[in-house]
Amino acid sequence: MTLKATKFTPEVLLTAPRRSPGSPSPDGRKALYMVSTYSFETHKKTAQIRVLDIASGQSTVLVEDLNASEPTWLSDDEFLYLKSCDKGATALVVDSVSKPVAALHEVATINSGISNIKVAKLKDGRFALACSGLATPDGRPANPETEKKPYSSAKIYTSLFVRHWDTWLTENRNVIWYGALEKRDAKYSLVGNSLFNALGGTELSSPVAPFGGSGDFDISSSGLVFVAKDPTINPACYTKTDLYYVPLKTFTETDPPAPKVVETPGLEGYSQSPVFSHDGRRVAFTRMRSKQYESDKPRLLLLPDVDDLGNVYEFWQTDDGEGGWDTRPEAIVWSADDSTLFLTAEANGRTLVWKTHSDPAKAKDTPEVVKTVEGSVTDLRLLGKSSSKLFVTSSSLIDNSCYSVTDASKDTFSVVSSNSKQGKTFGLSRSSCDEIWFKGAGEYRVHALVVRPSNFDKNKKYPLCFLIHGGPQGAWQDGWSTRWNPAIFAEQGYVVVAPNPTGSTGYGMALQDGITGDWGGRPYNDLVACFEYVEENLHYVDTQRAVALGASYGGYMINWIQGHPLGRKFKALVCHDGVFSTLNQWSTEELFFPIHDFEGTIYDNREAYEKWDPARHVNEWATPQLIIHSELDYRLPITEGLSPFNILQAKGIPSKLVMFPDENHWVLKPENSLVWHREVLAWINKYSGVEAEDGAREGVALPVRD
């Protein structure tokens, strides 16, 4: 029997089980995954490692331990996982699917934190192992929990970065550790009981902070590839990351060869997603052209032979340098016979799976879409030894996790397991979801997602909830979110419209790049056009009781809207970690962002910063506004929230400030997130006339159901 929430509320959203991507076994019959839950009754989190039988869709608990993470297959039965220990140490643990607990044994304990573990079988039967962790300047494992604490709290810097995302930087840096596992007498051990630093003796750091992970490196029987920032240029002003190769034969080399750079003439931006072919000789990866544009278009590249690092080919290369595929490839998966590459990329508010020939010379046509379940793909894995079957993890506007199997040769898919029974557990359905297209500010069309209440009555009118995304190079997708979930607002009694205006990804580079140097221009006019389209065409939407909300660049746009005519169309506004003044953009950490988007530095092109400054228009501010900001947001410092709140209060405009001292650009802690949702919903409901409701008594906490 499927449990169903009586109402989809913030409590239901935040207590619903959260599943990691599924990792299929080598034979393609089972999949490992993590599931975590949070209880507002006990105020505690729980975590499990589970195994899914792909044929039946049934799952079994293997490990129940909050300290366990990253289950990784060693064979069709055995798996390795990480376990956090006291004093910042990490244990490598092996267990069995068929004999859980009975076969469990500890492989080694590493006296530091490690993560992003990967394994690959070697010809001698051993397993190559690689993971990431912190290292001291001299290349030794760094453990902040056991480091001697200084008597002074002073931090002194002479170069950038000073701080990044939510952390003040230290001398320690990310590195990749490698080693080898061997099995004797039915138990695994770490050869030499040691891990080795692949980046030792260099100034390189990988994964690339702050968001780099397992996608920044890969291993095979021939060695290790990874991406790292160019240490010779300023990391705060440039996005240049190179691909490096370290040849390894046994993964027990105590003095590894120096990393060798892979040359890509004409492309000098981010290098991303390196993946070895199954034969270990070829590497597919992506790289951007611009070294100061974090959202430039990634180009799909192939290194045909790791012994010839200067010989790299670009897929769909054109004479003008723009490339023949106007889409942004992200994840890469090789087919079992290495003849095909499967990719993920955005298109029209969804992340889809695509396929192409793995040889650029034979990939004459641009990739074709592979049929998958509705929504957006979040992870992609090869299923067993098949050259066409894929294990797909996805989500949608109504479902927080779905595992499915796609057969690319037949263009078919089948759902294996949906965490919410495709929305039924939450009381949601696809019938609530829609989309619209409308004419933008120029000769182009703009797309918007629409979500209606589950009890929608076409004969009634519902106030408009207008969501503005961040980035600005980003997009609303048919995917799940625990931070900005359209269904949460819809279930309060709104029709949610989430437009993807100029600057949005997934609609071609012309629309995305159109925001450069025009932050308050075309994007704002697109939003005006969206509002007018809704007003004229969606008869069930009450635009007289509209509210608008946005975060990051969306928060910038809320502040910009406040000072412009569109701001008078809304009863209330919500700005989360937004930009108050573009003149303050140099208080951020990644300076390449304002340099690109405002077409120069503030000292060389101050006019561009001033032109799109919301603070220039505070005389026009009049709409009630909620300000939310966090002190650990080093991308947009807390003063960007305090300044607009002070102005709203001084002008006598109804306003409220909600500040989180322990959150960064995102509100991630469950208890804080619950407060965030309650404050936001109470604010917009008050001014739109929607009756405020106590979600804690109307929703139900949801146990795991597979």
Side-chain angles (χ1 to χ4, degrees):
M1 179 179 179
T2 299
L3 294 180
K4 181 176 178 179
T6 55
K7 182 181 176 68
F8 185 57
T9 64
E11 289 77 9
V12 173
L13 171 71
L14 299 173
T15 58
R18 303 187 189 188
R19 302 196 304 191
S20 71
S23 174
S25 57
D27 63 9
R29 295 181 179 180
K30 300 177 287 292
L32 288 169
Y33 66 97
M34 293 286 303
V35 61
S36 64
T37 57
Y38 187 83
S39 169
F40 287 112
E41 294 179 356
T42 63
H43 306 286
K44 292 181 180 179
K45 180 182 176 182
T46 61
Q48 300 172 340
I49 297 175
R50 300 175 74 97
V51 63
L52 176 72
D53 179 78
I54 293 176
S56 67
Q58 299 300 308
S59 75
T60 305
V61 177
L62 298 174
V63 179
E64 190 154 11
D65 188 342
L66 191 58
N67 296 313
S69 65
E70 299 191 34
T72 305
W73 292 103
L74 294 173
S75 68
D76 292 328
D77 182 60
E78 299 161 308
F79 63 97
L80 176 74
Y81 68 92
L82 302 180
K83 182 175 180 177
S84 301
C85 304
D86 293 338
K87 297 182 179 180
T90 310
L92 294 168
V93 181
V94 168
D95 206 341
S96 161
V97 169
S98 61
K99 301 175 183 177
V101 181
L104 183 146
H105 61 279
E106 187 173 300
V107 175
T109 297
I110 311 300
N111 291 320
S112 63
I114 59 173
S115 59
N116 300 311
I117 194 163
K118 286 191 172 185
V119 297
K121 196 163 189 178
L122 301 175
K123 294 177 181 178
D124 62 3
R126 292 177 173 181
F127 283 92
L129 178 149
C131 58
S132 65
L134 283 177
T136 61
D138 60 3
R140 295 179 295 104
N143 187 338
E145 291 195 30
T146 58
E147 285 180 355
K148 185 178 179 180
K149 302 298 185 289
Y151 292 107
S152 169
S153 61
K155 301 180 187 297
I156 302 171
Y157 300 89
T158 58
S159 64
L160 298 174
F161 287 116
V162 168
R163 59 185 191 177
H164 203 184
W165 190 249
D166 59 4
T167 304
W168 287 89
L169 268 63
T170 69
E171 291 183 316
N172 298 336
R173 58 192 172 91
N174 289 340
V175 300
I176 299 170
W177 304 98
Y178 68 86
L181 300 176
E182 64 179 355
K183 187 177 184 182
R184 291 183 180 178
D185 301 324
K187 290 190 175 182
Y188 287 87
S189 62
L190 181 64
V191 178
N193 204 37
S194 297
L195 292 175
F196 306 99
N197 185 352
L199 280 59
T202 74
E203 295 181 4
L204 300 174
S205 178
S206 185
V208 179
F211 301 121
S214 60
D216 278 3
F217 66 94
D218 199 20
I219 58 172
S220 76
S221 57
S222 64
L224 165 73
V225 288
F226 65 91
V227 298
K229 283 217 169 193
D230 184 339
T232 66
I233 61 176
N234 190 317
C237 294
Y238 296 94
T239 59
K240 185 173 185 278
T241 61
D242 292 303
L243 179 66
Y244 295 85
Y245 170 58
V246 180
L248 297 169
K249 293 182 178 179
T250 66
F251 278 76
T252 59
E253 291 90 339
T254 58
D255 187 17
K260 301 176 182 178
V261 71
V262 177
E263 301 292 345
T264 60
L267 302 175
E268 53 182 5
Y270 275 127
S271 298
Q272 296 171 310
S273 307
V275 183
F276 275 109
S277 58
H278 291 90
D279 62 15
R281 304 305 305 168
R282 292 174 281 176
V283 179
F285 65 107
T286 68
R287 185 154 200 184
M288 298 178 184
R289 181 169 56 181
S290 171
K291 62 181 179 181
Q292 280 192 315
Y293 185 18
E294 65 176 350
S295 299
D296 197 8
K297 183 175 75 172
R299 318 301 175 92
L300 182 64
L301 303 174
L302 177 72
L303 173 65
D305 189 343
V306 290
D307 289 335
D308 184 5
L309 302 184
N311 187 25
V312 175
Y313 295 93
E314 180 180 342
F315 287 74
W316 314 294
Q317 189 171 14
T318 57
D319 292 339
D320 63 4
E322 296 300 321
W325 193 33
D326 195 22
T327 309
R328 302 164 47 87
E330 297 172 355
I332 304 170
V333 172
W334 291 81
S335 64
D337 62 2
D338 289 337
S339 66
T340 302
L341 291 179
F342 298 102
L343 315 167
T344 63
E346 283 182 274
N348 299 339
R350 293 160 182 86
T351 296
L352 307 176
V353 176
W354 313 69
K355 67 176 180 179
T356 188
H357 201 287
S358 63
D359 183 347
K362 297 179 180 179
K364 299 296 184 182
D365 298 324
T366 53
E368 57 182 286
V369 174
V370 176
K371 195 171 185 179
T372 54
V373 68
E374 283 187 295
S376 292
V377 174
T378 55
D379 190 78
L380 189 65
R381 311 283 177 102
L382 191 67
L383 187 65
K385 295 183 172 69
S386 170
S387 286
S388 63
K389 289 186 178 180
L390 301 163
F391 189 84
V392 178
T393 302
S394 61
S395 72
S396 71
L397 286 165
I398 62 167
D399 189 5
N400 64 350
S401 172
C402 181
Y403 300 144
S404 61
V405 172
T406 285
D407 190 332
S409 65
K410 298 179 180 178
D411 206 26
T412 59
F413 70 87
S414 59
V415 173
V416 176
S417 169
S418 166
N419 201 34
S420 68
K421 307 303 179 187
Q422 296 180 299
K424 292 180 182 178
T425 306
F426 300 137
L428 305 176
S429 72
R430 293 300 303 184
S431 63
S432 296
C433 305
D434 205 347
E435 56 192 316
I436 56 175
W437 289 86
F438 55 92
K439 187 179 182 299
E443 295 305 314
Y444 55 87
R445 295 200 309 155
V446 178
H447 183 226
L449 300 176
V450 178
V451 181
R452 297 181 291 264
S454 58
N455 61 353
F456 176 72
D457 182 343
K458 64 181 181 180
N459 296 314
K460 293 183 179 180
K461 274 185 172 286
Y462 300 84
L464 170 65
C465 180
F466 201 66
L467 299 183
I468 307 172
H469 70 68
Q473 293 86 5
W476 294 115
Q477 285 202 1
D478 185 357
W480 193 258
S481 173
T482 53
R483 293 184 291 114
W484 287 87
N485 191 305
I488 283 292
F489 299 99
E491 291 304 276
Q492 292 287 308
Y494 296 92
V495 168
V496 178
V497 176
N500 287 328
T502 295
S504 300
T505 54
Y507 301 89
M509 294 304 294
L511 186 78
Q512 178 185 314
D513 292 345
I515 195 172
T516 304
D518 200 20
W519 264 34
R522 269 181 56 182
Y524 171 78
N525 292 328
D526 287 346
L527 295 175
V528 171
C530 181
F531 188 94
E532 291 175 348
Y533 178 91
V534 170
E535 198 169 34
E536 295 169 8
N537 294 277
L538 302 188
H539 62 86
Y540 51 84
V541 177
D542 184 355
T543 56
Q544 297 299 310
R545 295 194 291 146
V547 295
L549 308 86
S552 194
Y553 171 80
Y556 160 88
M557 185 52 72
I558 290 295
N559 289 334
W560 183 258
I561 283 172
Q562 260 283 26
H564 290 80
L566 185 58
R568 309 293 79 78
K569 299 284 188 179
F570 297 106
K571 291 294 186 182
L573 302 172
V574 177
C575 173
H576 172 103
D577 285 23
V579 176
F580 168 66
S581 175
T582 48
L583 295 178
N584 296 335
Q585 281 289 284
W586 276 60
S587 63
T588 190
E589 10 84 290
E590 293 182 343
L591 298 176
F592 52 74
F593 176 72
I595 290 173
H596 174 270
D597 273 33
F598 294 97
E599 300 180 302
T601 65
I602 195 168
Y603 42 87
D604 288 330
N605 192 19
R606 185 182 179 90
E607 296 79 9
Y609 291 79
E610 290 179 338
K611 182 177 182 180
W612 305 117
D613 187 1
R616 290 181 60 198
H617 305 280
V618 293
N619 285 344
E620 304 300 322
W621 286 25
T623 302
Q625 182 166 329
L626 170 65
I627 303 284
I628 304 173
H629 222 96
S630 300
E631 273 197 314
L632 296 184
D633 185 357
Y634 298 157
R635 184 142 301 189
L636 288 165
I638 187 67
T639 51
E640 291 296 276
L642 291 172
S643 296
F645 177 67
N646 290 347
I647 285 174
L648 290 162
Q649 285 285 304
K651 287 174 66 70
I653 300 169
S655 50
K656 179 185 282 191
L657 172 68
V658 177
M659 192 279 287
F660 295 99
D662 55 348
E663 298 283 5
N664 55 38
H665 201 51
W666 304 323
V667 175
L668 300 176
K669 297 177 180 180
E671 301 287 350
N672 288 344
S673 183
L674 182 58
V675 171
W676 185 96
H677 280 89
R678 286 177 170 171
E679 290 291 341
V680 168
L681 295 178
W683 184 261
I684 61 175
N685 289 351
K686 173 182 177 181
Y687 289 98
S688 68
V690 171
E691 183 181 355
E693 299 181 42
D694 185 353
R697 288 191 288 271
E698 295 213 13
V700 295
L702 305 172
V704 178
R705 286 289 182 270
D706 280 304

